[in-house]
Amino acid sequence: MLKNTLIIITFMCCLTTVASNTFKIHGIIHHANDSAYVEYSYMRWQDEQWFKVADTARIVNGIFEICGEADRLTMVTLYYSDLPAIHAFVEQGETTLHWDANDDWKYTQEGTNIDGDIKLYRHYMQDADSIFTIAQKDFLISLNNINKEIQAGPPAEKMDSISMAFRTLMKEREIQQQKNVRTLLDFIKSHSELRIAPLLVYELLGNESLNADEVFVVAEMVSRKAGNKPECKLMQDEIRRMKATYQPKVGQEPYDFTRKSLSGKEVKLSSFRGKKVVLLDFWASWCVPCIKSFSALKILHAKYADKGLEIIGVGCDRLFDNYKTAVDNNHLPWVNVLAKTDGEDLSEVYKAEAIPLYILIDKAGTIVSMTNEMTGKEEALVLKLLE
């Protein structure tokens, strides 16, 4: 029902331009089949929540038009045939998109208030996009050939070589995708002040080629530059949703984070992977059991710190002064970081509703234990992991 409603809105916008939030993309696409369709989608804020609008636009004499409503700078993702997706950026008014089905990566857009941002983005990404598009076409040809071989019913002894060819093909495609995504992330880092930056970050959220924490760090950088501009809301809401749905569990990777310790050293959880066993201690100055547990932790630290155990104290105090005073008064010898920063609160991410909370992570970067009490059993587990 929602999709039908949004399609009606899109159609009506092409007939009238009185709506204050109406946008229109006038698309000119070369070397495309007439009567074919361009698929498109974008996120729209309506009734205090985000909706995904998805529809198609028919190509007639090399022209297509997309109309819709957006109350803020919005990224529209477009697809034609098997080509990689491209992105247009829209606000109120009309913009023109030039696209070539033979040279998909060479698309250009004009007629917006941010033409300079878009040109910079396209110039930076053009080489990476061209390589990825060519690789995508080669991938589809190779995949089609493999499917033909399978449909022909090859002898059993040939299936191994076909399977190997398929795995190699998928691995090559994954490598090309990673390179393209990494180039986009580098662009955002270098141009975090651009208005389109939050929308590009949103595009990367959840991408399996990147560590989520790395994208979150870039998102914080973008948020600091953009302030409370409306185009940041989609990115920030999606990050909040991702963090809210994270559930720390034994057997899975911990949520990665980067913090500055009290000594001023940058601490990144994933940097210990393959090197050390890590014990996260969530505590607060007002938590009596937390303070009492420090003596046991100090013994653990004295025994195993030089054998590969890294203790990271995560202070859950709201006031920095209270946290720092407690660290100083209790002479805590391990790395100490504050849970809450402008961008996130680790006590919320890790669901530290009852503290102290101890999370033990092995050298492979997997959670092996979660407990509210440090006992002899936990020490034995630490010793085993260090062997």
Side-chain angles (χ1 to χ4, degrees):
M1 183 62 186
L2 174 62
K3 185 172 187 291
N4 291 337
T5 302
L6 293 173
I7 289 172
I8 291 171
I9 292 172
T10 301
F11 174 73
M12 291 301 294
C13 286
C14 290
L15 296 179
T16 177
T17 59
V18 297
S20 61
N21 295 327
T22 298
F23 71 82
K24 178 179 178 181
I25 298 176
H26 177 69
I28 303 169
I29 183 167
H30 303 284
H31 305 108
N33 298 325
D34 257 1
S35 298
Y37 287 87
V38 171
E39 299 178 29
Y40 65 90
S41 64
Y42 61 95
M43 299 300 293
R44 175 178 167 188
W45 181 251
Q46 178 180 319
D47 298 330
E48 299 302 311
Q49 58 185 313
W50 290 104
F51 289 96
K52 183 175 183 178
V53 181
D55 204 353
T56 58
R58 188 178 180 182
I59 301 170
V60 179
N61 297 324
I63 305 294
F64 66 91
E65 289 189 347
I66 296 173
C67 298
E69 291 186 20
D71 65 347
R72 66 199 69 212
L73 181 63
T74 297
M75 182 170 69
V76 181
T77 303
L78 301 94
Y79 310 85
Y80 173 73
S81 186
D82 293 321
L83 296 173
I86 68 170
H87 303 299
F89 301 89
V90 299
E91 291 182 288
Q92 178 186 354
E94 182 173 334
T95 181
T96 301
L97 183 70
H98 295 271
W99 197 3
D100 192 323
N102 288 346
D103 295 316
D104 177 67
W105 64 90
K106 291 183 179 178
Y107 72 93
T108 60
Q109 184 186 351
E110 58 191 14
T112 72
N113 293 323
I114 53 167
D115 281 1
D117 288 15
I118 296 171
K119 287 179 182 177
L120 189 62
Y121 162 63
R122 292 306 315 133
H123 177 73
Y124 193 100
M125 292 299 300
Q126 185 165 305
D127 288 345
D129 284 348
S130 66
I131 293 170
F132 182 66
T133 301
I134 293 169
Q136 173 74 357
K137 291 178 179 178
D138 291 344
F139 167 79
L140 292 172
I141 292 171
S142 300
L143 186 62
N144 186 51
N145 291 336
I146 289 174
N147 286 334
K148 284 181 179 178
E149 287 191 72
I150 294 174
Q151 290 169 6
E157 58 270 20
K158 194 177 179 181
M159 281 303 298
D160 285 344
S161 63
I162 293 175
S163 297
M164 178 63 73
F166 176 76
R167 287 194 293 270
T168 301
L169 183 64
M170 296 303 292
K171 184 62 178 178
E172 290 174 350
R173 183 169 186 260
E174 180 184 347
I175 292 171
Q176 288 297 336
Q177 287 175 326
Q178 289 174 347
K179 288 180 178 178
N180 189 261
V181 166
R182 177 61 58 182
T183 302
L184 179 55
L185 187 67
D186 290 342
F187 171 77
I188 300 169
K189 288 179 180 178
S190 302
H191 301 87
S192 57
E193 78 285 354
L194 299 184
R195 288 186 62 205
I196 64 174
L199 302 174
L200 295 174
V201 171
Y202 172 78
E203 184 70 12
L204 294 179
L205 289 170
N207 191 296
E208 294 182 355
S209 299
L210 295 171
N211 183 290
D213 180 64
E214 186 175 11
V215 183
F216 292 163
V217 169
V218 175
E220 285 190 37
M221 182 192 311
V222 170
S223 293
R224 285 196 297 270
K225 295 284 181 67
N228 293 321
K229 288 182 180 177
E231 52 263 29
C232 279
K233 182 171 176 54
L234 177 61
M235 173 190 75
Q236 292 166 344
D237 285 354
E238 179 61 13
I239 290 173
R240 277 190 287 269
R241 185 198 66 78
M242 291 175 68
K243 290 179 179 178
T245 55
Y246 171 76
Q247 291 291 338
K249 295 178 182 178
V250 171
Q252 73 172 27
E253 287 188 6
Y255 171 79
D256 197 12
F257 61 83
T258 303
R259 287 287 187 279
K260 277 239 178 126
S261 69
L262 270 180
S263 63
K265 180 183 177 182
E266 186 171 88
V267 180
K268 184 175 178 64
L269 180 60
S270 59
S271 69
F272 298 105
R273 188 175 299 142
K275 303 173 184 176
K276 293 191 174 185
V277 173
V278 177
L279 178 64
L280 299 181
D281 171 28
F282 288 83
W283 66 279
S285 63
W286 44 262
C287 169
V288 175
C290 298
I291 304 300
K292 286 183 176 180
S293 72
F294 286 155
S295 57
L297 284 178
K298 287 178 181 178
I299 293 172
L300 202 66
H301 183 267
K303 284 184 178 179
Y304 306 114
D306 61 348
K307 293 181 173 62
L309 174 66
E310 187 76 35
I311 298 178
I312 302 177
V314 184
C316 300
D317 284 274
R318 298 305 177 198
L319 297 177
F320 176 81
D321 288 346
N322 292 352
Y323 154 72
K324 186 178 184 306
T325 298
V327 172
D328 293 342
N329 289 347
N330 289 282
H331 307 289
L332 304 184
W334 45 81
V335 174
N336 289 281
V337 301
L338 198 59
K340 187 174 177 58
T341 65
D342 292 338
E344 65 184 353
D345 186 337
L346 292 177
S347 65
E348 293 179 357
V349 173
Y350 275 92
K351 309 298 186 289
E353 297 170 357
I355 55 176
L357 171 64
Y358 305 103
I359 299 179
L360 187 61
I361 304 163
D362 65 16
K363 289 183 180 180
T366 303
I367 296 174
V368 295
S369 173
M370 297 178 64
T371 182
N372 297 111
E373 187 178 2
M374 186 56 59
T375 64
K377 179 182 176 182
E378 297 305 311
E379 181 176 352
L381 183 54
V382 167
L383 185 58
K384 182 179 179 181
L385 294 175
L386 290 172
E387 289 177 351

